[in-house]
């Protein structure tokens, strides 16, 4: 590249411009979109960037021809962006690309058909990725990263142009998903609500008509939101939808879905097979599952402690912590089973001191009052059927199904 | 209708013309002054020309309207030339800029109100029409844009031409003077009307009628602001044009501007009406040989416009008769002096004007040639340029000079001059010693300038001369004013301060940033300062606003739009010019008031003096004066004048804050809103007040406007745009105890405690035995003082921590939250404190009171390993676990063992937790639970068997628990041993959460002020 001639640079630039105009005039979305794929590191864009570095007067080139000058608002910043991106000048690249995006939105509005939707997707994607990179650059310079936020507002603009009726509507979900990614990254998930409402209340467009990949992404993120809200049935539905419709080849995506779906399933009493955890490398859950199976409170606590950061970041920590009650239930059940083996007639009377002893054995230091409280809570939450006699410090279990299974229903709260 | 009578009297259109010319000149001067503020030179020029000219002009107009109309024109031209010259010089550019700004501002308004005004903005256009060639040459841009307006003007002009193009022009000039009237709307209008009557009887009638009927309503809001701005703008633009063009053009432009202003003023009520008049008048001048005159007129009027406004206002205010007499005499004098004056300083302006006029007359055919005379103006320029910084002094000097000059030159004027001289002399003596020389060179313009120059000088001094820090000081001082009266009072005080500082040379050396704000003066104090502030503001950044405003307002007028760009560019200048003009007007008004009749000249001089001495006051005075004038002259016009005044005040205020480029931007952004919103309201209010007729009202309004503007600025400004350093207060209050009062205005340093005192206050509060309400009040006032002084250090943290702890102890969660959020940022800034303690509080707060899982997760994720080992944080995390699992036993154990004030935060959750616990018990336990157990588990008893009184305590706790259970609908039974038992089966269905009777959200019923906080549902 170093010995690229001026003529070669000129040729490459005009070649790019010609492709741009040809794509527009023939409404060729597929070749059009490749012109914007900045982060694809495609050979054509890389060589264009080198040409732009060499040939400084590309702007004049654009303005000279009527064909190009019509798109000057898109092309000028796009060239700048390509150039800066090539030089790893990410902040500048983003700023220029944002201009391109805005100009493109304007242009896109004027195109009646949705032929350029693919290109819009690319732009939406690129602006998000660029913003993330620019933010990294900003942060490393000690400045406040704010570009992703800016990208969010640009995407809201894009969403606005797509959210109406017509053929462009089909692209709305893609933008929504990109917005989700930004909002989750920024920790401003409350902003998701407005887009969700717009998607879910629109009667004119059936959700099923959106592209599958968008539906999966959408369900994944809304499912995560439901996890935050501890609305487990809804979370289960959405994440399961995502899981069943997800491309089986993309294991990373499946893993991400499972990462949130497993805690939800655990909360409603459904335990995964160990092979599943192994397959998707989700072994952080294996201890928890084991604890649930064994009623091993200590194991649960140590698992939570070990992976605290990870669970906190993915937002499932509190969900997992609530599994404690199920572990207690399992523990009581084990005691009950042992008692039954010893003396079936008195098996339904579980003495408090026995439970305390079992916990002590697990190296959980709890006094009688606390254990009594736990028993009361278990009964209260219908994890154990029966009652507690305070006077005699005995939990009297129901003779019929003393430990009801959750069977997909969440613990009473 | 009022106008028409006046117009008839002044039928001597010439007189009116002269007036207008004078006005125009003042405008120029003012503009220049404004510029001068930017460029001192320009300002100096403006004053000289405007002052003397204005005075003379007004006189002339009244007396010699009929006879001297032509002379007047000549005069006007002459004065204008100086202005032009000034403009030509550095000032010119600056002036142009100012004028443009003004123009834009004005233009919009004018346009709205006055189609004619747009033309006035077009004045350029006028110039272009009449002077099309000239203008073309001069203003390239303006010409283009203006060309359209010009055309319109020409059209109108065509009909008018018959009337007497010159007269018309004169009348226009009158209108121009009106522009000046913008400042003194009434006066100008009246003058304009007079002129109109003579020249434009039809016009006046039509336009006036329309004015009175329609325009007023419209005007009231728009007109004043727009007018003033428009006039300025026009003048500015004119000035620019002038630069390019010969002086003539400048004059014409100026006149146009004034004319437009006048038109706007008169027409302000009737937007459309003014337009025709303006156009016609303009058109006439342009089309015919008279065109040259008109051009001159315009120029003069424009140049004088500001000054003329004042003079006009004075005259009008004085009396019509006076006007006539005075005008005649003055005219005579002027005429006489004019020629001599050229050489002589006092009459110089007039004389120069005369000469100019003469030249113009001769040139009128030659128009351009005459304009060439502008060279005379160039001399002024040098002085102005020289004086830029001295401008104020120079202006004052000029005024002095002028006054003396006037005295010698014009016998008649002499009296006037004498009047003016004494006052002016004083002022000038103080200020102008240095600048005088330069002015002397410019001697001719000075006379006219005197009045205007005085005003201008004052205005100039105020804005232009003041260092930025001083301006900031003024802004700060004004910002704390609560109402118009205070504003006025503050302004008066500041005037004195500034005058004093100027006198002893500390104006620029003093550290105004550090200067403590003076105590709030009585509202009765004169509002003079307001003018200063306004001028300051204007100096800073008014340009953009006005243009935009003008645009928005003017939008309807297509012609205006083309001008807008030019106007915008000029706006800054115009604004500055406006400010000056306003001041001038005020001065004029003052003069009028002081001396209604023959005193006009003297008045002017006094005004000048006043302005110099009380630059701030003048604006208000001017407004008042103008108002008075208007009222006196035109009963009907008063409303317009009021409007105009209010507008001017408004603009001036707006201008005041506009120094910095950011402010300009802001203003641009704000201007539209402003125009539509506050501006109108304020204006309308002002008008009503004005109707009341009290001069004070004007002042108040003006001050209010300033205030409102400042507030607006504050609001509109992006936070980062505000120069907080300049606004930061340094407290002087030594009182340790201070009640909290929510600030509704800028803080007064006299009531703000400095850091040392605040430390003592904090100690005092910490050791205070009084109740929480007192402490909270005290701490809030400490926080306020810290905030306004922008103290961010250990003390800040200590104060917030202290307050947060007190708030927690008293369960005042809202107050605690405020402190917590402040502390979070303070800790993030690396200012040390009890970080762990408060992150524990924060955690507890999220857990117990916000119930937001995401927040909780992020709070937990943020905790460092180190923090997790901290006792308080560990406790908080344990509480969280207990709450999420519903483990009431653990919760109340933690409740009893909470470090720091964790217990206090948990307090607020106890009720909820107990209720949950009892519900759980009722469901899980059978058949009964002893109350003693409940009491122990649910934290009623201390559970710490440490001393012999434990039994007693347990009994108390038991009682408490019993009461609580009963209150919540539990069913209790007594067993054989007499122990109370909870019947769980019965209770499980009967439990309820009682409506808290005396519950207070902050948890302490002792503090309960009934409506202190809304009841918090459990």
């Amino acid at each position: 590249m170093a010995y690229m001639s001026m003529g070669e640079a000129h040729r490459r630039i005009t070649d790019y411009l010609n492709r741009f105009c040809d794509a527009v005039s023939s409404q060729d979305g597929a070749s059009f979109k490749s012109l914007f794929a900045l982060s694809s590191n495609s050979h054509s864009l890389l060589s264009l960037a080198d040409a732009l570095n060499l040939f400084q007067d590309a702007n004049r080139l654009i303005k000279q021809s009527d064909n190009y000058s019509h798109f000057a608002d898109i092309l000028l910043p796009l060239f700048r962006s390509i150039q800066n991106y090539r030089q790893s000048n990410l902040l500048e690249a983003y700023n220029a690309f944002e201009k391109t995006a805005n100009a493109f939105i304007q242009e896109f509005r004027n195109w009646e058909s949705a032929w350029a939707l693919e290109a819009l997707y690319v732009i939406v994607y690129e602006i998000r990725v660029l913003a993330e990179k620019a933010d990294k650059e900003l942060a490393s310079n000690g400045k406040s990263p704010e570009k992703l936020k800016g990208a969010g507002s640009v995407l809201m603009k894009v969403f606005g142009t797509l959210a109406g009726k017509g053929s462009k509507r089909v692209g709305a979900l893609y933008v929504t998903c990109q917005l989700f990614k930004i909002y989750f990254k920024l920790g401003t998930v409350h902003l998701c609500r407005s887009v969700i409402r717009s998607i879910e209340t629109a009667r004119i467009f059936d959700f099923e008509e959106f592209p599958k990949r968008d539906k999966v992404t959408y369900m994944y993120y809304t499912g995560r939101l439901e996890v935050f809200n501890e609305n487990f049935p809804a979370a289960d539905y959405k994440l399961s939808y995502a899981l069943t419709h997800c491309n089986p080849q993309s294991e990373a995506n499946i893993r991400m879905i499972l990462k949130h779906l497993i805690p939800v399933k655990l909360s409603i009493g459904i335990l995964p097979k160990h092979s599943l955890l192994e397959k998707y490398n989700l072994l952080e859950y294996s201890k928890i599952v084991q604890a649930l199976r064994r009623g091993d409170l200590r194991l649960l606590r140590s698992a939570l402690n070990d992976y605290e950061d990870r669970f906190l970041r993915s937002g499932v920590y509190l969900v997992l912590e609530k599994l404690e009650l199920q572990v207690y239930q399992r523990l009581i059940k084990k005691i009950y089973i042992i008692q039954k083996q010893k003396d079936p007639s008195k098996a339904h009377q579980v003495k408090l001191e026995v439970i305390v002893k079992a916990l002590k054995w697990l190296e959980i230091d709890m006094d009688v009052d606390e254990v009594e409280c736990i028993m009361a809570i278990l009964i209260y939450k219908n994890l154990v059927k029966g009652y507690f006699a305070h006077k005699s410090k005995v939990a009297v279990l129901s003779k019929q199904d003393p430990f009801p299974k959750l069977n997909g229903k969440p613990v009473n709260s | 209708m009022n106008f028409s009578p006046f117009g008839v009297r002044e039928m001597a259109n010439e007189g009116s013309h002269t007036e207008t010319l004078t006005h125009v000149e003042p405008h120029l001067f003012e503009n220049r002054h404004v510029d001068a503020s930017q460029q001192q030179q320009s300002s100096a020029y403006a004053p000289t020309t405007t002052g003397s000219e204005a005075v003379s002009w007004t006189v002339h107009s009244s007396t010699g309207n009929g006879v001297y109309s032509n002379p007047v024109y000549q005069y006007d031209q002459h004065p204008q030339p100086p202005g032009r010259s000034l403009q030509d010089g550095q000032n010119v550019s600056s002036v142009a800029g100012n004028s443009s700004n003004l123009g834009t501002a004005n233009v919009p308004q004018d346009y709205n109100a006055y189609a004619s005004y747009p033309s006035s903005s077009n004045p350029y256009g006028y110039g272009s029409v009449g002077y099309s060639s000239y203008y073309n040459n001069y203003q390239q841009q303006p010409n283009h844009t203006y060309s359209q307006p010009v055309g319109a003007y020409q059209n109108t002009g065509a009909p008018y031409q018959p009337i007497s193009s010159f007269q018309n022009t004169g009348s226009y000039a009158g209108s121009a003077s009106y522009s000046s009237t913008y400042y003194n709307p009434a006066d100008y209008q009246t003058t304009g009307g007079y002129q109109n009557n003579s020249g434009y009887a039809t016009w006046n009638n039509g336009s006036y009628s329309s004015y009175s009927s329609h325009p007023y309503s419209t005007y009231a809001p728009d007109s004043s602001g727009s007018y003033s701005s428009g006039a300025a703008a026009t003048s500015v633009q004119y000035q620019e044009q002038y630069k390019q063009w010969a002086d003539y053009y400048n004059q014409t432009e100026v006149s146009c501007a004034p004319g437009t202003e006048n038109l706007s003023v008169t027409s302000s009520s009737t937007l459309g009406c003014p337009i025709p008049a303006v156009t016609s008048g303009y058109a006439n001048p342009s089309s015919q040989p008279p065109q040259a005159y008109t051009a001159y007129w315009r120029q003069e009027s424009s140049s004088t416009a500001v000054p003329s406004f004042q003079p006009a206002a004075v005259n009008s205010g004085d009396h019509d008769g006076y006007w006539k007499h005075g005008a005649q005499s003055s005219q005579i004098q002027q005429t006489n002096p004019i020629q001599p004056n050229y050489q002589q300083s006092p009459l110089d302006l007039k004389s120069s004007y005369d000469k100019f006029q003469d030249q113009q007359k001769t040139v009128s055919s030659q128009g351009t040639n005459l304009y060439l005379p502008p060279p005379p103006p160039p001399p002024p320029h040098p002085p102005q340029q020289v004086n830029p910084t001295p401008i104020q002094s120079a202006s004052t000097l000029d005024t002095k000079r002028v006054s003396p000059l006037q005295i010698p030159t014009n016998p008649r004027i002499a009296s006037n001059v004498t009047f003016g001289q004494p006052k002016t002399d004083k002022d000038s003596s103080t200020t102008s010693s240095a600048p005088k020389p330069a002015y002397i060179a410019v001697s001719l313009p000075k006379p006219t300038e005197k009045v205007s120059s005085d005003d201008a000088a004052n205005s100039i001094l105020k804005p232009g001369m003041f260092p930025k820090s001083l301006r900031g000081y003024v802004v700060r001082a004004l910002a704390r004013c609560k109402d118009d009266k205070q504003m006025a009072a503050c302004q008066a005080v500041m005037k004195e301060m500034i005058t004093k500082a100027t006198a002893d040379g500390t104006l620029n050396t003093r550290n105004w940033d550090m200067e403590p704000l003076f105590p709030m003066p009585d509202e009765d104090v004169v509002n003079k300062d307001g003018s200063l502030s306004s001028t300051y503001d204007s100096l800073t950044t008014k340009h953009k606003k006005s243009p935009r405003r003008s645009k928005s307002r003017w939008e309807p007028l297509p012609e205006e739009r083309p001008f807008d760009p030019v106007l915008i560019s000029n706006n800054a200048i115009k604004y500055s010019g406006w400010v000056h003009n306003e001041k001038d007007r005020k001065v004029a008004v003052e003069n009028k008031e002081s001396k209604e009749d023959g005193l006009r000249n003297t008045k002017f001089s006094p005004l000048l003096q006043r302005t110099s001495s009380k630059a701030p006051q003048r604006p208000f005075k001017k407004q008042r004066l103008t108002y008075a004038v208007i009222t006196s002259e035109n009963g009907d016009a008063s409303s317009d004048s009021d409007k105009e005044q209010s507008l001017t005040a408004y603009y001036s205020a707006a201008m005041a804050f506009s120094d910095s480029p950011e402010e300009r931007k802001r203003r641009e952004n704000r201007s539209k809103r402003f125009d539509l919103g506050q501006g109108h309201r304020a204006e309308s209010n002002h008008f009503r007040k004005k109707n009341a007729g009290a001069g004070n009202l004007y002042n108040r309004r003006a001050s209010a406007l300033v205030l409102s503007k400042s507030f607006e600025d504050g609001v509109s400004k992006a936070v980062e745009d505000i120069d907080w350093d300049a606004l930061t207060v340094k407290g002087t209050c030594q009182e340790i105890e201070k009640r909290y009062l929510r600030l509704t205005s800028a803080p007064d340093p006299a009531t703000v405690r400095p850091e040392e005192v605040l430390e003592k206050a904090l100690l005092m509060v910490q050791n205070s035995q009084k109740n929480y309400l007192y402490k909270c009040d005290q701490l809030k006032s400490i926080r306020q003082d810290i905030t306004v002084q922008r103290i961010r250090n250990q003390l800040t943290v200590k104060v917030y921590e202290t307050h947060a702890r007190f708030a927690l102890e008293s369960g005042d969660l809202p107050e605690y939250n405020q402190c917590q959020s402040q502390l979070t940022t303070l800790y993030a800034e690396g200012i040390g404190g009890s970080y762990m303690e408060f992150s524990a509080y924060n955690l507890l707060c999220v857990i117990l009171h916000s119930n937001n899982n995401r927040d909780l997760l992020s709070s937990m994720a943020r905790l460092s390993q180190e923090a997790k080992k901290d006792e308080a944080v560990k406790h908080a995390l344990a509480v969280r676990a207990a709450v999420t699992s519903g483990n009431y036993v653990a919760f109340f154990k933690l409740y009893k063992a909470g470090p720091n004030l964790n217990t206090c935060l948990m307090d607020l959750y106890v009720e909820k937790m107990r209720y949950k616990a009892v519900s759980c018990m009722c469901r899980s336990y059978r058949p009964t639970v002893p109350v003693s157990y409940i009491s122990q588990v649910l934290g009623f008893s201390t559970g710490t068997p440490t001393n012999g009184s434990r039994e007693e305590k347990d009994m108390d706790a038991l009682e408490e628990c019993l009461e609580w259970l009963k209150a919540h609908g539990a069913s209790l039974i007594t067993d054989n041993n007499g122990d109370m038992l909870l019947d769980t089966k019965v209770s499980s269905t009967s439990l309820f959460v009682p409506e808290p009777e005396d519950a207070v959200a902050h948890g302490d019923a002792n503090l309960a002020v009934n409506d202190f906080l809304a009841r918090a549902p459990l």
Side-chain angles (χ1 to χ4, degrees), chain B residues 384-405:
Chain B
Q384 290 178 351
Q385 292 174 352
V386 175
N387 295 325
T389 45
I391 290 170
Q392 297 173 349
S393 62
S395 63
T396 55
L397 291 173
D398 290 345
T399 57
K400 292 178 181 180
R401 293 178 182 175
V402 173
S403 61
L405 290 172

Side-chain angles (χ1 to χ4, degrees), chain A residues 328-336 355 375 378 403:
Chain A
Y328 281 123
Q329 182 206 34
R330 191 81 183 177
L331 182 66
I332 310 289
K333 189 175 182 180
K334 284 200 163 182
I335 294 170
Y336 169 76
I355 304 171
M375 276 312 297
L378 286 175
F403 302 100

Side-chain angles (χ1 to χ4, degrees), chain B residues 18 39 110 197 222 388 541 561 578 735 835 882 960:
Chain B
T18 57
Q39 300 178 352
D110 293 347
N197 292 334
D222 298 341
T541 52
R561 289 184 179 178
W578 277 92
E735 296 283 322
Y835 171 71
E960 196 187 335

Side-chain angles (χ1 to χ4, degrees), chain B residues 976-987:
Chain B
N976 300 332
N977 298 332
D979 289 339
M980 297 294 289
L981 301 175
L982 173 69
D983 184 340
T984 54
K985 194 167 186 180
V986 178
S987 296

Side-chain angles (χ1 to χ4, degrees), chain B residues 657-732:
Chain B
F657 291 90
S658 59
D659 275 346
S660 65
E662 319 116 287
E663 283 188 342
R664 287 184 202 162
K665 285 180 190 171
R666 267 178 277 129
R667 291 200 173 173
E668 287 187 11
N669 296 330
R670 214 184 322 134
S671 58
K672 290 174 187 173
R673 271 185 295 149
F674 194 42
D675 289 342
L676 296 176
Q678 286 194 350
H680 289 286
R681 270 180 250 137
E683 289 177 1
S684 60
N685 291 333
H686 289 299
F687 287 105
R688 291 173 195 164
K689 291 179 180 178
K690 288 180 179 177
N691 289 334
N696 288 332
L697 289 177
Y698 290 112
N699 295 334
R700 291 180 194 169
R701 291 174 186 175
S703 61
L705 287 172
V706 174
L707 282 173
S708 67
K709 285 183 178 181
S710 65
F711 285 127
E712 287 182 356
D713 288 351
V715 174
S716 65
K717 285 181 181 179
V719 173
E720 55 268 24
D721 288 348
I722 301 174
D723 181 8
W724 291 108
D725 287 322
L727 296 173
T728 302
V729 169
K730 188 144 173 53
T732 58

Side-chain angles (χ1 to χ4, degrees), chain A residues 187 189-190 228-230 308-309 311-312 315-318 321-322 324-325 366-367 369-370 372-377 379-380 382 386-390 393, chain B residues 853-854 856-858 860-863 865 868 877 880-881 884-890 893 916 919-921 923-930 933 936-937:
Chain A
V189 295
H190 57 278
F228 279 134
N229 298 333
E230 302 194 354
E308 184 179 344
D309 284 346
F311 293 147
L312 279 174
V316 296
Y317 183 88
L318 297 177
E321 196 185 42
K322 288 202 167 174
E324 235 181 45
L325 285 180
M366 289 170 87
D367 67 16
D369 281 347
E370 254 181 277
E372 189 178 327
C373 171
I374 296 293
M375 276 312 297
I377 292 169
I379 298 168
Y380 177 65
N382 208 28
Y387 66 88
F388 192 85
H390 178 74
K393 300 276 180 196
Chain B
N853 281 329
R854 249 184 315 105
L856 180 55
L857 281 167
S858 61
M860 288 173 68
R862 260 182 312 209
L863 287 175
Q865 285 303 319
K868 282 174 189 166
L877 288 171
R880 182 203 60 77
T884 43
S885 66
N887 190 333
Y888 48 88
V889 173
K893 273 187 188 164
K916 271 192 198 169
S919 320
C920 174
M921 285 177 181
R923 174 93 189 274
S924 312
Y925 285 88
R926 288 293 182 277
T928 58
V929 186
Y933 172 75
Q936 179 220 324
V937 167

Side-chain angles (χ1 to χ4, degrees), chain B residues 110 112-118 219 227 263-265 267-268 271 274-275:
Chain B
D110 293 347
N112 295 329
Y114 308 93
S116 61
Y117 286 121
Y219 276 121
Y227 288 120
L263 292 174
S264 63
V265 174
S267 61
S268 60
L271 297 175
I275 297 172

